Amino acid sequence: MLPDEVTDNTSLQRFELHVDGETAVVVYERAGDLLRLIHTEVPQSLEGKGVGSKLVGAVLRFAQANKVSVVPQCPFVAQYM
């Protein structure tokens, strides 16, 4: 389970964090126990506030809790890891 503020929008294949009326996302592809993290996007108004790190951290905790392997294709995710 993700922290309350981060949601898994499976229909759009992205994790979402809503802050101040804006939405930061990590776009993914999932195949069984493999989670490919493709792209992280943080609205410009939220940049530099730790929103991306909070979102990616929650996604990685989700993967660990659910025994899912992560493939970091997104440079931001790869750097975070």
Side-chain angles (χ1 to χ4, degrees):
M1 195 64 155
L2 293 171
D4 292 338
E5 60 274 342
V6 176
T7 57
D8 181 3
N9 185 335
T10 56
S11 64
L12 294 177
Q13 292 191 3
R14 67 186 199 177
F15 293 96
E16 301 176 341
L17 175 59
H18 302 282
V19 179
D20 297 334
E22 301 277 2
T23 305
V25 301
V26 173
V27 179
Y28 67 84
E29 290 178 353
R30 185 163 181 186
D33 64 350
L34 186 68
L35 185 64
R36 189 177 320 277
L37 302 179
I38 301 167
H39 177 69
T40 301
E41 187 170 328
V42 176
Q44 188 173 6
S45 63
L46 299 177
E47 288 179 0
K49 298 180 180 179
V51 172
S53 294
K54 182 176 185 176
L55 175 58
V56 171
V59 171
L60 295 177
R61 287 189 297 279
F62 167 84
Q64 183 178 24
N66 290 280
K67 297 178 176 49
V68 177
S69 296
V70 172
V71 177
Q73 289 187 318
C74 169
F76 182 83
V77 174
Q79 184 177 12
Y80 182 95
M81 293 177 74

